[in-house]
Amino acid sequence: MSSSIIDLRSDTGTRPTAAMRAAMLEAAVGDDVFGEDPTVNALEARMAALFGHEAAVFCPSGTMTNQIAVNLHTRPGDEVICDEGAHIYRYEGGGVMATSGCSVRLIQGDHGRFTSAQVEACLNDPKATWLPRTRLVNIENTCNRGGGAVWDLGAVDAIRQVCDAHGLRLHMDGARIFNALVVTGDGPAEWGRRFHTISVCLSKGLGAPVGSVLVGSMEHITEARRVRKRLGGGMRQAGMLAAACLYALDEHIDRLALDHQRAQRLAEALMAQPYIASIMPVTTNIIILTLAGHRTASSFLEQLRSQGIIAAAFGPQMVRMVTHLDVDDAAIDRTIHILDQLA
Ligand SMILES: *Cc1c(COP(=O)(O)O)cnc(C)c1O
């Protein structure tokens, strides 16, 4: 793709910088299936410590870390509670059902966030043998389909109490947890200790080419390694990828605030356009807008594309734009200039 194209489809679109590539080239490597890759081991140890848990396992994608977590915590026939827009339900190829044999109980949250009362309302009576056994609650932070909305710790604590009272596990799909932490100022361990497992993507806003990590107890992560292998995710000299992730942790966390400022600026410009009906509240790097009148997402995206800007359809009249490492101030300026001309 030409570098003059502004790609706002997703923060997965980031390409490794020259310095990140240099770190990858220099990585010490070994066979990670045997636990012998020193760079993977360093990444796993660092992520576990960062989130206040005993262990972590490096995986090729966030879909895999989430699906391993679902598999660890459940047995076939169990039920998983999540928001109706949850990535684990919508965008992971039906893995909750196909890989773990679980049903899904959907909550209509507030931009992806829900309350402990909503969780309680979904609990099946364990004595009712005709109902699936409620087993796992999934919290997504930030919420992709909620326009990048951020959870607060109080809401998580209340949900964890319900989980503890009913023997449920609590997983966080933290694909964009660092975006959330940059906004709230909370430490990763404050978040980490509230969950049984946490999935974190290094290949989104943090800019690594590949890689997600699942964090949890030694017991959970030991079993996670078996599930990872079963799913085909056991990698060999993966240290070159882990080196990119370590580099991203060093260099690309603080700058997420810049992505958020750019998303704000873009959202303000979008809000001023007569062809836009509404925009979800923007707090991180995701903008989800709804077009006015009869404008369709496909015609709007076509107009943008003809001007060298690509965004993603999120519904018949909904469009998502995401800022990231490869979208600088000049790209935002150019996008705003083009949006003004579409009016
Ligand atoms: C991107 C994303 C994932 C993981 O996606 P992969 O492409 O499989 O790495 C998981 N959850 C959310 C909320 C995401 O946005």
Side-chain angles (χ1 to χ4, degrees):
M1 182 170 300
S2 153
S3 62
S4 70
I5 285 184
I6 299 171
D7 189 350
L8 298 169
R9 286 173 299 179
S10 174
D11 44 7
T12 54
T14 54
R15 283 151 299 182
T17 60
M20 182 180 277
R21 287 169 198 249
M24 295 171 76
L25 274 180
E26 287 160 15
V29 296
D31 191 327
D32 180 49
V33 172
F34 300 141
E36 291 174 0
D37 189 296
T39 311
V40 171
N41 292 344
L43 174 66
E44 291 176 346
R46 182 159 166 191
M47 289 293 280
L50 202 53
F51 285 91
H53 274 275
E54 290 170 345
V57 60
F58 184 50
C59 291
S61 72
T63 296
M64 186 174 283
T65 49
N66 281 334
Q67 292 301 325
I68 288 173
V70 171
N71 198 262
L72 281 182
H73 296 309
T74 61
R75 292 185 311 211
D78 286 353
E79 191 156 84
V80 178
I81 297 174
C82 63
D83 181 76
E84 62 182 352
H87 196 280
I88 64 159
Y89 168 63
R90 285 212 177 217
Y91 299 123
E92 300 189 359
V96 174
M97 293 67 87
T99 306
S100 296
C102 291
S103 66
V104 177
R105 186 74 162 264
L106 299 176
I107 293 178
Q108 274 192 308
D110 163 26
H111 296 94
R113 296 161 302 193
F114 45 84
T115 64
S116 57
Q118 284 178 298
V119 172
E120 272 180 315
C122 290
L123 299 175
N124 289 336
D125 180 354
K127 292 191 287 296
T129 53
W130 54 93
L131 298 175
R133 185 177 69 138
T134 308
R135 183 57 177 156
L136 174 67
V137 178
N138 173 73
I139 282 177
E140 187 173 306
N141 195 22
T142 67
C143 312
N144 176 28
R145 284 195 71 88
V150 173
W151 282 74
D152 71 67
L153 279 175
V156 176
D157 281 339
I159 290 170
R160 176 64 194 253
Q161 276 180 17
V162 171
C163 290
D164 287 346
H166 297 274
L168 311 185
R169 298 278 173 76
L170 185 60
H171 172 70
M172 174 163 67
D173 177 356
R176 296 188 180 85
I177 183 60
F178 285 111
N179 293 84
L181 296 176
V182 162
V183 170
T184 62
D186 299 328
E190 278 180 272
W191 274 84
R193 66 187 171 80
R194 287 166 157 93
F195 294 86
H196 294 97
T197 48
I198 307 144
S199 162
V200 182
C201 289
L202 289 310
S203 66
K204 295 247 159 106
L206 294 190
V210 175
S212 294
V213 175
L214 184 69
V215 181
S217 68
M218 187 61 77
E219 191 186 344
H220 282 148
I221 297 306
T222 301
E223 177 61 12
R225 291 184 192 283
R226 186 181 309 281
V227 181
R228 179 185 67 170
K229 190 74 176 97
R230 183 184 302 147
L231 297 177
M235 298 183 286
R236 301 296 178 171
Q237 286 71 32
M240 296 185 81
L241 299 174
C245 295
L246 284 165
Y247 181 88
L249 291 173
D250 286 336
E251 303 295 336
H252 291 168
I253 292 179
D254 293 341
R255 65 154 305 286
L256 292 173
L258 265 177
D259 294 343
H260 299 175
Q261 286 162 22
R262 288 171 180 149
Q264 263 322 319
R265 200 153 69 81
L266 185 52
E268 278 160 27
L270 285 161
M271 210 93 82
Q273 307 302 337
Y275 53 84
I276 295 196
S278 63
I279 304 183
M280 286 185 192
V282 175
T283 43
T284 54
N285 66 329
I286 298 178
I287 299 168
I288 297 182
L289 60 90
T290 302
L291 294 157
H294 298 294
R295 286 223 184 204
T296 62
S298 58
S299 67
F300 179 61
L301 291 179
E302 198 42 55
Q303 279 184 305
L304 287 179
R305 186 180 274 276
S306 69
Q307 301 295 320
I309 296 170
I310 42 183
F314 243 48
Q317 288 196 289
M318 278 165 89
V319 168
R320 187 184 76 166
M321 296 179 174
V322 186
T323 56
H324 53 78
L325 192 56
D326 292 1
V327 177
D328 59 11
D329 280 324
I332 297 294
D333 290 340
R334 207 177 108 207
T335 304
I336 291 173
H337 177 71
I338 287 162
L339 288 168
D340 286 340
Q341 291 185 330
L342 295 183

mmCIF file with all atom_site columns, all heavy atoms in Angstrom, residues 269-289:
data_model
loop_
_atom_site.group_PDB
_atom_site.id
_atom_site.type_symbol
_atom_site.label_atom_id
_atom_site.label_alt_id
_atom_site.label_comp_id
_atom_site.label_asym_id
_atom_site.label_entity_id
_atom_site.label_seq_id
_atom_site.pdbx_PDB_ins_code
_atom_site.Cartn_x
_atom_site.Cartn_y
_atom_site.Cartn_z
_atom_site.occupancy
_atom_site.B_iso_or_equiv
_atom_site.pdbx_formal_charge
_atom_site.auth_seq_id
_atom_site.auth_comp_id
_atom_site.auth_asym_id
_atom_site.auth_atom_id
_atom_site.pdbx_PDB_model_num
ATOM 1   N N   . ALA A 1 269 ? -13.677 17.773 14.313 1.00 0.00 ? 269 ALA A N   1
ATOM 2   C CA  . ALA A 1 269 ? -13.892 18.151 12.910 1.00 0.00 ? 269 ALA A CA  1
ATOM 3   C C   . ALA A 1 269 ? -15.069 17.377 12.317 1.00 0.00 ? 269 ALA A C   1
ATOM 4   O O   . ALA A 1 269 ? -15.867 17.937 11.550 1.00 0.00 ? 269 ALA A O   1
ATOM 5   C CB  . ALA A 1 269 ? -12.616 17.890 12.106 1.00 0.00 ? 269 ALA A CB  1
ATOM 6   N N   . LEU A 1 270 ? -15.201 16.125 12.677 1.00 0.00 ? 270 LEU A N   1
ATOM 7   C CA  . LEU A 1 270 ? -16.313 15.314 12.166 1.00 0.00 ? 270 LEU A CA  1
ATOM 8   C C   . LEU A 1 270 ? -17.649 15.844 12.681 1.00 0.00 ? 270 LEU A C   1
ATOM 9   O O   . LEU A 1 270 ? -18.632 15.930 11.949 1.00 0.00 ? 270 LEU A O   1
ATOM 10  C CB  . LEU A 1 270 ? -16.138 13.854 12.601 1.00 0.00 ? 270 LEU A CB  1
ATOM 11  C CG  . LEU A 1 270 ? -15.067 13.058 11.847 1.00 0.00 ? 270 LEU A CG  1
ATOM 12  C CD1 . LEU A 1 270 ? -14.657 11.820 12.636 1.00 0.00 ? 270 LEU A CD1 1
ATOM 13  C CD2 . LEU A 1 270 ? -15.562 12.649 10.456 1.00 0.00 ? 270 LEU A CD2 1
ATOM 14  N N   . MET A 1 271 ? -17.653 16.221 13.952 1.00 0.00 ? 271 MET A N   1
ATOM 15  C CA  . MET A 1 271 ? -18.872 16.710 14.587 1.00 0.00 ? 271 MET A CA  1
ATOM 16  C C   . MET A 1 271 ? -19.430 17.932 13.847 1.00 0.00 ? 271 MET A C   1
ATOM 17  O O   . MET A 1 271 ? -20.637 18.147 13.830 1.00 0.00 ? 271 MET A O   1
ATOM 18  C CB  . MET A 1 271 ? -18.532 17.115 16.034 1.00 0.00 ? 271 MET A CB  1
ATOM 19  C CG  . MET A 1 271 ? -19.649 16.964 17.009 1.00 0.00 ? 271 MET A CG  1
ATOM 20  S SD  . MET A 1 271 ? -19.523 15.351 17.776 1.00 0.00 ? 271 MET A SD  1
ATOM 21  C CE  . MET A 1 271 ? -18.304 15.693 19.046 1.00 0.00 ? 271 MET A CE  1
ATOM 22  N N   . ALA A 1 272 ? -18.540 18.719 13.255 1.00 0.00 ? 272 ALA A N   1
ATOM 23  C CA  . ALA A 1 272 ? -18.961 19.960 12.585 1.00 0.00 ? 272 ALA A CA  1
ATOM 24  C C   . ALA A 1 272 ? -19.555 19.690 11.200 1.00 0.00 ? 272 ALA A C   1
ATOM 25  O O   . ALA A 1 272 ? -20.056 20.609 10.557 1.00 0.00 ? 272 ALA A O   1
ATOM 26  C CB  . ALA A 1 272 ? -17.753 20.893 12.466 1.00 0.00 ? 272 ALA A CB  1
ATOM 27  N N   . GLN A 1 273 ? -19.506 18.448 10.727 1.00 0.00 ? 273 GLN A N   1
ATOM 28  C CA  . GLN A 1 273 ? -19.970 18.160 9.365  1.00 0.00 ? 273 GLN A CA  1
ATOM 29  C C   . GLN A 1 273 ? -21.472 17.887 9.344  1.00 0.00 ? 273 GLN A C   1
ATOM 30  O O   . GLN A 1 273 ? -21.968 17.115 10.157 1.00 0.00 ? 273 GLN A O   1
ATOM 31  C CB  . GLN A 1 273 ? -19.226 16.944 8.785  1.00 0.00 ? 273 GLN A CB  1
ATOM 32  C CG  . GLN A 1 273 ? -17.716 17.023 8.844  1.00 0.00 ? 273 GLN A CG  1
ATOM 33  C CD  . GLN A 1 273 ? -17.138 18.246 8.130  1.00 0.00 ? 273 GLN A CD  1
ATOM 34  O OE1 . GLN A 1 273 ? -17.778 18.820 7.232  1.00 0.00 ? 273 GLN A OE1 1
ATOM 35  N NE2 . GLN A 1 273 ? -15.959 18.653 8.535  1.00 0.00 ? 273 GLN A NE2 1
ATOM 36  N N   . PRO A 1 274 ? -22.174 18.511 8.390  1.00 0.00 ? 274 PRO A N   1
ATOM 37  C CA  . PRO A 1 274 ? -23.630 18.319 8.334  1.00 0.00 ? 274 PRO A CA  1
ATOM 38  C C   . PRO A 1 274 ? -24.029 16.887 7.974  1.00 0.00 ? 274 PRO A C   1
ATOM 39  O O   . PRO A 1 274 ? -25.139 16.470 8.282  1.00 0.00 ? 274 PRO A O   1
ATOM 40  C CB  . PRO A 1 274 ? -24.071 19.301 7.245  1.00 0.00 ? 274 PRO A CB  1
ATOM 41  C CG  . PRO A 1 274 ? -22.855 19.556 6.428  1.00 0.00 ? 274 PRO A CG  1
ATOM 42  C CD  . PRO A 1 274 ? -21.688 19.432 7.364  1.00 0.00 ? 274 PRO A CD  1
ATOM 43  N N   . TYR A 1 275 ? -23.112 16.142 7.355  1.00 0.00 ? 275 TYR A N   1
ATOM 44  C CA  . TYR A 1 275 ? -23.461 14.783 6.923  1.00 0.00 ? 275 TYR A CA  1
ATOM 45  C C   . TYR A 1 275 ? -23.226 13.741 8.018  1.00 0.00 ? 275 TYR A C   1
ATOM 46  O O   . TYR A 1 275 ? -23.361 12.552 7.773  1.00 0.00 ? 275 TYR A O   1
ATOM 47  C CB  . TYR A 1 275 ? -22.693 14.424 5.635  1.00 0.00 ? 275 TYR A CB  1
ATOM 48  C CG  . TYR A 1 275 ? -21.199 14.629 5.714  1.00 0.00 ? 275 TYR A CG  1
ATOM 49  C CD1 . TYR A 1 275 ? -20.376 13.654 6.265  1.00 0.00 ? 275 TYR A CD1 1
ATOM 50  C CD2 . TYR A 1 275 ? -20.604 15.809 5.245  1.00 0.00 ? 275 TYR A CD2 1
ATOM 51  C CE1 . TYR A 1 275 ? -19.007 13.840 6.350  1.00 0.00 ? 275 TYR A CE1 1
ATOM 52  C CE2 . TYR A 1 275 ? -19.239 16.008 5.317  1.00 0.00 ? 275 TYR A CE2 1
ATOM 53  C CZ  . TYR A 1 275 ? -18.448 15.026 5.871  1.00 0.00 ? 275 TYR A CZ  1
ATOM 54  O OH  . TYR A 1 275 ? -17.090 15.218 5.957  1.00 0.00 ? 275 TYR A OH  1
ATOM 55  N N   . ILE A 1 276 ? -22.857 14.222 9.209  1.00 0.00 ? 276 ILE A N   1
ATOM 56  C CA  . ILE A 1 276 ? -22.662 13.282 10.319 1.00 0.00 ? 276 ILE A CA  1
ATOM 57  C C   . ILE A 1 276 ? -23.728 13.512 11.388 1.00 0.00 ? 276 ILE A C   1
ATOM 58  O O   . ILE A 1 276 ? -23.913 14.635 11.866 1.00 0.00 ? 276 ILE A O   1
ATOM 59  C CB  . ILE A 1 276 ? -21.239 13.411 10.882 1.00 0.00 ? 276 ILE A CB  1
ATOM 60  C CG1 . ILE A 1 276 ? -20.311 12.961 9.763  1.00 0.00 ? 276 ILE A CG1 1
ATOM 61  C CG2 . ILE A 1 276 ? -21.068 12.608 12.182 1.00 0.00 ? 276 ILE A CG2 1
ATOM 62  C CD1 . ILE A 1 276 ? -18.948 12.631 10.074 1.00 0.00 ? 276 ILE A CD1 1
ATOM 63  N N   . ALA A 1 277 ? -24.457 12.454 11.723 1.00 0.00 ? 277 ALA A N   1
ATOM 64  C CA  . ALA A 1 277 ? -25.570 12.588 12.671 1.00 0.00 ? 277 ALA A CA  1
ATOM 65  C C   . ALA A 1 277 ? -25.066 12.552 14.104 1.00 0.00 ? 277 ALA A C   1
ATOM 66  O O   . ALA A 1 277 ? -25.516 13.335 14.942 1.00 0.00 ? 277 ALA A O   1
ATOM 67  C CB  . ALA A 1 277 ? -26.592 11.473 12.436 1.00 0.00 ? 277 ALA A CB  1
ATOM 68  N N   . SER A 1 278 ? -24.155 11.638 14.404 1.00 0.00 ? 278 SER A N   1
ATOM 69  C CA  . SER A 1 278 ? -23.681 11.521 15.787 1.00 0.00 ? 278 SER A CA  1
ATOM 70  C C   . SER A 1 278 ? -22.343 10.797 15.828 1.00 0.00 ? 278 SER A C   1
ATOM 71  O O   . SER A 1 278 ? -21.976 10.094 14.880 1.00 0.00 ? 278 SER A O   1
ATOM 72  C CB  . SER A 1 278 ? -24.697 10.762 16.642 1.00 0.00 ? 278 SER A CB  1
ATOM 73  O OG  . SER A 1 278 ? -24.842 9.441  16.150 1.00 0.00 ? 278 SER A OG  1
ATOM 74  N N   . ILE A 1 279 ? -21.658 11.003 16.937 1.00 0.00 ? 279 ILE A N   1
ATOM 75  C CA  . ILE A 1 279 ? -20.383 10.315 17.177 1.00 0.00 ? 279 ILE A CA  1
ATOM 76  C C   . ILE A 1 279 ? -20.414 9.804  18.610 1.00 0.00 ? 279 ILE A C   1
ATOM 77  O O   . ILE A 1 279 ? -20.847 10.528 19.513 1.00 0.00 ? 279 ILE A O   1
ATOM 78  C CB  . ILE A 1 279 ? -19.182 11.284 17.009 1.00 0.00 ? 279 ILE A CB  1
ATOM 79  C CG1 . ILE A 1 279 ? -19.212 11.940 15.633 1.00 0.00 ? 279 ILE A CG1 1
ATOM 80  C CG2 . ILE A 1 279 ? -17.871 10.552 17.223 1.00 0.00 ? 279 ILE A CG2 1
ATOM 81  C CD1 . ILE A 1 279 ? -18.019 12.846 15.374 1.00 0.00 ? 279 ILE A CD1 1
ATOM 82  N N   . MET A 1 280 ? -19.974 8.567  18.821 1.00 0.00 ? 280 MET A N   1
ATOM 83  C CA  . MET A 1 280 ? -19.877 8.064  20.199 1.00 0.00 ? 280 MET A CA  1
ATOM 84  C C   . MET A 1 280 ? -18.829 8.901  20.948 1.00 0.00 ? 280 MET A C   1
ATOM 85  O O   . MET A 1 280 ? -17.882 9.392  20.334 1.00 0.00 ? 280 MET A O   1
ATOM 86  C CB  . MET A 1 280 ? -19.437 6.595  20.197 1.00 0.00 ? 280 MET A CB  1
ATOM 87  C CG  . MET A 1 280 ? -20.527 5.640  19.775 1.00 0.00 ? 280 MET A CG  1
ATOM 88  S SD  . MET A 1 280 ? -19.930 3.936  19.949 1.00 0.00 ? 280 MET A SD  1
ATOM 89  C CE  . MET A 1 280 ? -21.240 3.074  19.065 1.00 0.00 ? 280 MET A CE  1
ATOM 90  N N   . PRO A 1 281 ? -18.995 9.060  22.267 1.00 0.00 ? 281 PRO A N   1
ATOM 91  C CA  . PRO A 1 281 ? -17.992 9.824  23.028 1.00 0.00 ? 281 PRO A CA  1
ATOM 92  C C   . PRO A 1 281 ? -16.583 9.265  22.767 1.00 0.00 ? 281 PRO A C   1
ATOM 93  O O   . PRO A 1 281 ? -16.395 8.052  22.797 1.00 0.00 ? 281 PRO A O   1
ATOM 94  C CB  . PRO A 1 281 ? -18.395 9.591  24.490 1.00 0.00 ? 281 PRO A CB  1
ATOM 95  C CG  . PRO A 1 281 ? -19.841 9.196  24.435 1.00 0.00 ? 281 PRO A CG  1
ATOM 96  C CD  . PRO A 1 281 ? -20.044 8.509  23.125 1.00 0.00 ? 281 PRO A CD  1
ATOM 97  N N   . VAL A 1 282 ? -15.643 10.164 22.463 1.00 0.00 ? 282 VAL A N   1
ATOM 98  C CA  . VAL A 1 282 ? -14.275 9.724  22.141 1.00 0.00 ? 282 VAL A CA  1
ATOM 99  C C   . VAL A 1 282 ? -13.371 9.969  23.352 1.00 0.00 ? 282 VAL A C   1
ATOM 100 O O   . VAL A 1 282 ? -13.193 11.107 23.768 1.00 0.00 ? 282 VAL A O   1
ATOM 101 C CB  . VAL A 1 282 ? -13.737 10.483 20.909 1.00 0.00 ? 282 VAL A CB  1
ATOM 102 C CG1 . VAL A 1 282 ? -12.277 10.114 20.654 1.00 0.00 ? 282 VAL A CG1 1
ATOM 103 C CG2 . VAL A 1 282 ? -14.590 10.186 19.682 1.00 0.00 ? 282 VAL A CG2 1
ATOM 104 N N   . THR A 1 283 ? -12.829 8.894  23.930 1.00 0.00 ? 283 THR A N   1
ATOM 105 C CA  . THR A 1 283 ? -11.880 9.072  25.039 1.00 0.00 ? 283 THR A CA  1
ATOM 106 C C   . THR A 1 283 ? -10.521 8.466  24.729 1.00 0.00 ? 283 THR A C   1
ATOM 107 O O   . THR A 1 283 ? -9.538  8.777  25.396 1.00 0.00 ? 283 THR A O   1
ATOM 108 C CB  . THR A 1 283 ? -12.403 8.456  26.353 1.00 0.00 ? 283 THR A CB  1
ATOM 109 O OG1 . THR A 1 283 ? -12.973 7.181  26.054 1.00 0.00 ? 283 THR A OG1 1
ATOM 110 C CG2 . THR A 1 283 ? -13.439 9.329  27.010 1.00 0.00 ? 283 THR A CG2 1
ATOM 111 N N   . THR A 1 284 ? -10.471 7.579  23.728 1.00 0.00 ? 284 THR A N   1
ATOM 112 C CA  . THR A 1 284 ? -9.175  6.970  23.413 1.00 0.00 ? 284 THR A CA  1
ATOM 113 C C   . THR A 1 284 ? -8.875  7.175  21.922 1.00 0.00 ? 284 THR A C   1
ATOM 114 O O   . THR A 1 284 ? -8.908  8.308  21.456 1.00 0.00 ? 284 THR A O   1
ATOM 115 C CB  . THR A 1 284 ? -9.142  5.486  23.841 1.00 0.00 ? 284 THR A CB  1
ATOM 116 O OG1 . THR A 1 284 ? -10.245 4.789  23.258 1.00 0.00 ? 284 THR A OG1 1
ATOM 117 C CG2 . THR A 1 284 ? -9.220  5.352  25.359 1.00 0.00 ? 284 THR A CG2 1
ATOM 118 N N   . ASN A 1 285 ? -8.557  6.119  21.204 1.00 0.00 ? 285 ASN A N   1
ATOM 119 C CA  . ASN A 1 285 ? -8.114  6.288  19.814 1.00 0.00 ? 285 ASN A CA  1
ATOM 120 C C   . ASN A 1 285 ? -9.146  5.824  18.790 1.00 0.00 ? 285 ASN A C   1
ATOM 121 O O   . ASN A 1 285 ? -8.825  5.694  17.619 1.00 0.00 ? 285 ASN A O   1
ATOM 122 C CB  . ASN A 1 285 ? -6.787  5.535  19.585 1.00 0.00 ? 285 ASN A CB  1
ATOM 123 C CG  . ASN A 1 285 ? -6.941  4.020  19.716 1.00 0.00 ? 285 ASN A CG  1
ATOM 124 O OD1 . ASN A 1 285 ? -7.768  3.535  20.468 1.00 0.00 ? 285 ASN A OD1 1
ATOM 125 N ND2 . ASN A 1 285 ? -6.127  3.285  18.977 1.00 0.00 ? 285 ASN A ND2 1
ATOM 126 N N   . ILE A 1 286 ? -10.372 5.535  19.249 1.00 0.00 ? 286 ILE A N   1
ATOM 127 C CA  . ILE A 1 286 ? -11.400 5.006  18.337 1.00 0.00 ? 286 ILE A CA  1
ATOM 128 C C   . ILE A 1 286 ? -12.522 6.028  18.178 1.00 0.00 ? 286 ILE A C   1
ATOM 129 O O   . ILE A 1 286 ? -12.986 6.610  19.163 1.00 0.00 ? 286 ILE A O   1
ATOM 130 C CB  . ILE A 1 286 ? -11.963 3.673  18.872 1.00 0.00 ? 286 ILE A CB  1
ATOM 131 C CG1 . ILE A 1 286 ? -10.848 2.622  18.949 1.00 0.00 ? 286 ILE A CG1 1
ATOM 132 C CG2 . ILE A 1 286 ? -13.117 3.177  18.001 1.00 0.00 ? 286 ILE A CG2 1
ATOM 133 C CD1 . ILE A 1 286 ? -11.285 1.273  19.508 1.00 0.00 ? 286 ILE A CD1 1
ATOM 134 N N   . ILE A 1 287 ? -12.930 6.231  16.926 1.00 0.00 ? 287 ILE A N   1
ATOM 135 C CA  . ILE A 1 287 ? -14.061 7.114  16.625 1.00 0.00 ? 287 ILE A CA  1
ATOM 136 C C   . ILE A 1 287 ? -15.098 6.279  15.901 1.00 0.00 ? 287 ILE A C   1
ATOM 137 O O   . ILE A 1 287 ? -14.790 5.668  14.863 1.00 0.00 ? 287 ILE A O   1
ATOM 138 C CB  . ILE A 1 287 ? -13.625 8.267  15.695 1.00 0.00 ? 287 ILE A CB  1
ATOM 139 C CG1 . ILE A 1 287 ? -12.551 9.124  16.374 1.00 0.00 ? 287 ILE A CG1 1
ATOM 140 C CG2 . ILE A 1 287 ? -14.821 9.111  15.276 1.00 0.00 ? 287 ILE A CG2 1
ATOM 141 C CD1 . ILE A 1 287 ? -11.873 10.097 15.413 1.00 0.00 ? 287 ILE A CD1 1
ATOM 142 N N   . ILE A 1 288 ? -16.323 6.220  16.443 1.00 0.00 ? 288 ILE A N   1
ATOM 143 C CA  . ILE A 1 288 ? -17.408 5.545  15.721 1.00 0.00 ? 288 ILE A CA  1
ATOM 144 C C   . ILE A 1 288 ? -18.499 6.576  15.465 1.00 0.00 ? 288 ILE A C   1
ATOM 145 O O   . ILE A 1 288 ? -19.050 7.175  16.387 1.00 0.00 ? 288 ILE A O   1
ATOM 146 C CB  . ILE A 1 288 ? -17.959 4.337  16.509 1.00 0.00 ? 288 ILE A CB  1
ATOM 147 C CG1 . ILE A 1 288 ? -16.844 3.283  16.669 1.00 0.00 ? 288 ILE A CG1 1
ATOM 148 C CG2 . ILE A 1 288 ? -19.157 3.730  15.770 1.00 0.00 ? 288 ILE A CG2 1
ATOM 149 C CD1 . ILE A 1 288 ? -17.263 2.027  17.389 1.00 0.00 ? 288 ILE A CD1 1
ATOM 150 N N   . LEU A 1 289 ? -18.757 6.804  14.180 1.00 0.00 ? 289 LEU A N   1
ATOM 151 C CA  . LEU A 1 289 ? -19.716 7.831  13.796 1.00 0.00 ? 289 LEU A CA  1
ATOM 152 C C   . LEU A 1 289 ? -20.886 7.212  13.045 1.00 0.00 ? 289 LEU A C   1
ATOM 153 O O   . LEU A 1 289 ? -20.773 6.127  12.465 1.00 0.00 ? 289 LEU A O   1
ATOM 154 C CB  . LEU A 1 289 ? -19.028 8.889  12.936 1.00 0.00 ? 289 LEU A CB  1
ATOM 155 C CG  . LEU A 1 289 ? -18.397 8.397  11.632 1.00 0.00 ? 289 LEU A CG  1
ATOM 156 C CD1 . LEU A 1 289 ? -19.380 8.451  10.473 1.00 0.00 ? 289 LEU A CD1 1
ATOM 157 C CD2 . LEU A 1 289 ? -17.173 9.260  11.307 1.00 0.00 ? 289 LEU A CD2 1
#
